[in-house]
Amino acid sequence: MPGKAAPVAEAAPEGETRFAEHVPEGRLTAQRGLYAGPAPIVSKDLYAEIEWGSAVRDRDSITLEPSGKVTSNTYFGRFPASYWQRWTTVTEVAVEAVVTGDGLLSVGASDLAGDARVVNAEHVSGAKAKKVKLTAKLDKFHDGGALWLDLETEGGQTLRVEQVRWSVEAPEKIRPTAVTICTMNRADDCLKNLQALAADVSSLHTLDAIYVADQGTDLVESRDGFEQVAKDLGEKLHYIKQPNLGGAGGFTRGLYEVAGHTATEHANVLFMDDDVLLEPDLVVRMTAFSNRAANPIIVGGQMLNLLHPNQLHVGAEYARLNTLEPGQPVTHSLSTADLLGVDEETLKPNRQERRLDAGYNGWWSCLIPYEVVKAIGYPMPFFFQWDDAEYSYRAREYGFPTVTLPGAGVWHADFHWKDWDEWHRYFNLRNSIITAALHSPFNLNLLSRVLMAQLVRYLLGMQYGLSATLIKAVEDFLEGPEVLHDGGVAAMKEIRRIREQYPETKRHKATDVPGIASNDIGIINSAPRPSMQRLVLIKRILDRVLGRSRFGLGAVPTDEAHWWHIALFDTAVVTDASQEGVRVRTYDKVKMFDLAKRGVKVIQRLRKEGTEVQEQYKRAMPELTSRENWKRLYEL
């Protein structure tokens, strides 16, 4: 991008090259046809649905009894044809299977409206481990649609299908890929994902290395199973212990290592969270898509909710940068959708037929080509929060879009079960303002109104620690790029120290609330959202200033903890979003006035000084995202 300087990653040290392009052997597997998930909690219907009759579904095979039909027109069963037509140079895909028995195999297709058609089919009779191959053109899917495999038997027929593979013509060279897992005191979760990769490693042909950046004190290598998984993965596994630099520092380590050990710029780094339930086939799907992309692109995987395994978090998302709003569903995107349910309005199954353009992708699973790193540098040393969004929006400015690929999914803890009033809110706010400064018009009047509205809601909601968190985030943004010098370590310690001073930031058992008898806490429900919010807001502020309240003590469910309701209490015992305890919010006029004055002052500073500070971050970005800066942070 004109006017922007980006560091060039240094070449691999002589004799230490780990990554080089491979010569393909035959066709490129784009995804496997699977009939059961990686864990018992995952419904097999996410892979294949029995439309009628009966069938036995195993991980890599399925057996149909007489008079049965099974469709793979499901989340993991569909081939995302629209995305392959739009973003790759592939014009045809083949689905191959080993078949025994009698029956019908057919390739179904959909369009952006979800209307189905059959594009190819073959009857088999008396087959004994016969290889069947059906092909489909990728030519009528630009705006939407997918492909899938249907299986059917008639009376007296049985059919066994196994080793289903969707494949495309291979490129001249295959990109080497390294998976990077960032972990911090989640040793058991991380080990499970390493074991899942090891169990499937023979099918992950494009996977050259696995980096584990362990930043904790409870180390993965301390677990009994680590020695065996290290043996199973062999030279592919690279276990690194490093200082805790948050998610940004852990994931960036993979980029750093690949950049220092690659003989080609055509390499991929696949980020993966440590606490996900992994579907190993996402490695196959994301790397194959990247290998056939017309141009280098960031390929994101989708997130399914771990506590509700049938739910898709979002089909594709973007951020409203200037108003600090991440996680916005793209138009037509599924959002918190039951993948086994139907749309309430259309009554059609919840399937993402329409192709979507993402703004960014979360780093629960996200593949970054080395060409991107070489062109734009490394991630910002944000510690965590907004590092993924900032990197994607920066990459887009250099011509590298982000594509969120349907069917490449992992299960991650549901976001709405995490309470907003936590120390990580500091990083969310501070880093969102920095990202807005770097990649948005940075309208300071609009931004100031957004922050003031948040502050008022927090104060009325008796969230004084959260108000202090917001104030500290804005203050530290105004300190300029120097606040990122240590990668966020000092800021993490300081925000935790600040929040310790506010009792409502602590969680308690409902039967053991300090100073309050459990039997005295009864639920007081909220009225509906006010139709005239401004008038209600003014009234609540006046009541707070004058010390008036309607309720002395009451319990409030987490979904009813609105500012207009909490502001009616002297003390509100609010359920934590995790559902594991409660927070006690108590009205404190002194704290409210003090925080209000400090908040107004710092937001006024932002309005006055923001443009100058914005330029400081822009000037500092090449250095902050350089290899030399990360080498310093890693203490190498």
Side-chain angles (χ1 to χ4, degrees):
M1 183 177 177
K4 283 197 174 183
V8 176
E10 63 191 47
E14 187 176 351
E16 294 186 24
T17 300
R18 295 174 187 158
F19 303 100
E21 291 174 278
H22 309 295
V23 177
E25 297 179 6
R27 293 175 63 82
L28 177 66
T29 299
Q31 70 181 55
R32 295 176 290 174
L34 303 171
Y35 293 95
I41 67 168
V42 175
S43 172
K44 293 180 179 180
D45 287 347
L46 288 174
Y47 291 80
E49 289 186 351
I50 301 172
E51 294 199 338
W52 60 74
S54 62
V56 176
R57 292 168 290 180
D58 296 315
R59 179 69 168 162
D60 198 43
S61 66
I62 185 168
T63 302
L64 278 72
E65 298 299 320
S67 302
K69 183 177 181 181
V70 172
T71 182
S72 296
N73 185 16
T74 61
Y75 179 77
F76 285 108
R78 290 155 61 93
F79 180 84
S82 179
Y83 288 76
W84 278 83
Q85 180 177 334
R86 166 63 179 90
W87 293 106
T88 78
T89 55
V90 174
T91 58
E92 184 179 78
V93 62
V95 56
E96 302 172 74
V98 175
V99 180
T100 299
D102 309 275
L104 175 69
L105 289 80
S106 59
V107 177
S110 61
D111 56 23
L112 66 91
D115 295 330
R117 64 188 189 276
V118 176
V119 296
N120 205 343
E122 182 175 332
H123 283 282
V124 293
S125 180
K128 295 182 179 179
K130 175 186 177 182
K131 287 189 176 182
V132 175
K133 179 179 180 181
L134 300 172
T135 59
K137 296 286 186 183
L138 297 176
D139 59 356
K140 290 180 172 60
F141 302 96
H142 189 81
D143 285 335
L147 293 162
W148 62 87
L149 181 65
D150 285 342
L151 309 172
E152 188 173 353
T153 57
E154 296 184 354
Q157 295 181 332
T158 60
L159 183 67
R160 178 177 174 81
V161 177
E162 53 195 330
Q163 299 176 42
V164 177
R165 301 290 183 268
W166 293 83
S167 66
V168 297
E169 184 179 349
E172 291 184 9
K173 295 287 183 67
I174 300 290
R175 289 169 167 265
T177 296
V179 163
T180 295
I181 301 175
C182 167
T183 188
M184 164 68 177
N185 292 340
R186 286 178 174 147
D188 294 328
D189 292 334
C190 186
L191 181 62
K192 285 179 183 177
N193 284 321
L194 290 176
Q195 290 168 334
L197 290 170
D200 231 348
V201 74
S202 62
S203 299
L204 310 180
H205 304 297
T206 60
L207 182 57
D208 292 68
I210 300 169
Y211 288 97
V212 176
D214 197 336
Q215 304 184 133
T217 53
D218 183 14
L219 299 174
V220 181
E221 67 176 0
S222 70
R223 294 303 190 264
D224 291 339
F226 181 77
E227 185 177 349
Q228 183 60 50
V229 82
K231 182 178 178 181
D232 294 340
L233 291 171
E235 294 182 354
K236 289 183 184 291
L237 180 63
H238 302 275
Y239 181 71
I240 300 169
K241 290 178 284 188
Q242 67 180 38
N244 180 20
L245 294 166
F251 286 125
T252 299
R253 188 60 184 263
L255 297 177
Y256 183 92
E257 293 295 327
V258 170
H261 297 92
T262 183
T264 173
E265 69 174 22
H266 305 300
N268 291 326
V269 182
L270 174 53
F271 293 168
M272 191 180 299
D273 267 348
D274 58 351
D275 60 344
V276 298
L277 172 58
L278 174 64
E279 170 50 80
D281 205 55
L282 80 84
V283 178
V284 175
R285 300 179 186 207
M286 295 172 73
T287 57
F289 192 78
S290 178
N291 267 292
R292 291 310 317 265
N295 300 289
I297 53 176
I298 296 175
V299 183
Q302 294 182 326
M303 173 186 145
L304 294 91
N305 289 328
L306 186 57
L307 293 173
H308 305 86
N310 298 340
Q311 281 184 359
L312 177 69
H313 168 56
V314 66
E317 59 188 336
Y318 72 100
R320 296 191 183 108
L321 298 181
N322 214 150
T323 51
L324 316 182
E325 296 176 274
Q328 302 300 305
V330 170
T331 303
H332 302 298
S333 170
L334 294 176
S335 179
T336 318
D338 181 359
L339 295 170
L340 303 182
V342 297
D343 183 273
E344 293 181 359
E345 294 183 6
T346 66
L347 299 182
K348 289 186 175 182
N350 280 326
R351 298 189 183 107
Q352 185 185 305
E353 299 290 1
R354 191 180 294 267
R355 181 176 53 78
L356 310 173
D357 286 343
Y360 72 100
N361 202 93
W363 282 355
W364 49 75
S365 60
C366 190
L367 182 149
I368 299 176
Y370 176 53
E371 291 98 319
V372 177
V373 184
K374 193 171 183 180
I376 78 170
Y378 293 85
M380 289 283 282
F382 273 173
F383 197 76
F384 77 150
Q385 302 281 335
W386 280 81
D387 42 4
D388 45 17
E390 189 283 324
Y391 201 74
S392 275
Y393 280 104
R394 186 178 1 141
R396 184 175 295 277
E397 293 172 5
Y398 284 83
F400 301 104
T402 295
V403 176
T404 298
L405 187 65
V410 296
W411 290 269
H412 186 282
D414 307 30
F415 284 157
H416 62 277
W417 284 59
K418 295 182 178 182
D419 206 280
W420 199 234
D421 191 357
E422 293 287 354
W423 62 272
H424 58 68
R425 178 64 175 140
Y426 161 84
F427 287 99
N428 188 289
L429 274 166
R430 187 200 69 182
N431 297 345
S432 66
I433 301 172
I434 296 173
T435 302
L438 293 172
H439 306 296
S440 85
F442 207 50
N443 181 326
L444 290 168
N445 289 327
L446 173 60
L447 179 57
S448 297
R449 289 198 301 272
V450 167
L451 291 169
M452 187 62 72
Q454 288 185 15
L455 180 64
V456 170
R457 289 198 301 270
Y458 296 161
L459 290 174
L460 286 175
M462 299 187 291
Q463 292 177 291
Y464 305 122
L466 190 54
S467 301
T469 302
L470 181 150
I471 291 166
K472 178 64 174 171
V474 180
E475 286 175 344
D476 282 4
F477 167 78
L478 291 170
E479 288 295 311
E482 185 61 27
V483 76
L484 302 177
H485 179 77
D486 69 346
V489 177
M492 175 189 65
K493 294 177 180 177
E494 178 63 9
I495 194 61
R496 285 178 160 175
R497 186 195 65 79
I498 290 172
R499 289 175 57 83
E500 277 289 321
Q501 303 169 37
Y502 298 93
E504 82 282 353
T505 64
K506 299 175 177 63
R507 192 169 67 197
H508 309 279
K509 291 183 178 180
T511 54
D512 190 22
V513 177
I516 302 176
S518 176
N519 289 355
D520 291 342
I521 311 171
I523 295 174
I524 299 178
N525 295 109
S526 172
R529 180 179 291 274
S531 58
M532 304 177 73
Q533 285 196 48
R534 287 190 178 181
L535 287 178
V536 172
L537 178 68
I538 293 169
K539 186 176 186 306
R540 295 290 187 272
I541 292 173
L542 285 173
D543 285 344
R544 274 307 184 216
V545 170
L546 297 173
R548 297 189 301 229
S549 62
R550 185 178 304 176
F551 307 112
L553 171 67
V556 180
T558 187
D559 64 335
E560 297 185 14
H562 313 296
W563 59 264
W564 64 84
H565 184 51
I566 299 296
L568 299 173
F569 290 79
D570 289 329
T571 297
V573 181
V574 181
T575 308
D576 189 80
S578 69
Q579 297 293 307
E580 295 177 1
V582 296
R583 312 280 189 102
V584 182
R585 305 188 197 174
T586 301
Y587 175 63
D588 188 318
K589 188 174 182 179
V590 174
K591 285 181 182 177
M592 184 186 73
F593 272 104
D594 176 61
L595 289 163
K597 290 176 184 177
R598 288 174 53 203
V600 169
K601 183 178 179 180
V602 77
I603 292 171
Q604 287 177 337
R605 276 188 61 205
L606 176 66
R607 184 182 279 119
K608 294 177 181 178
E609 303 170 22
T611 301
E612 179 184 343
V613 178
Q614 176 191 26
E615 291 304 315
Q616 293 175 22
Y617 280 103
K618 286 186 174 183
R619 288 194 300 269
M621 187 166 64
E623 190 279 325
L624 289 169
T625 60
S626 69
R627 183 174 179 84
E628 292 72 24
N629 188 45
W630 279 105
K631 183 176 183 179
R632 177 185 62 80
L633 289 169
Y634 292 136
E635 300 176 3
L636 298 176

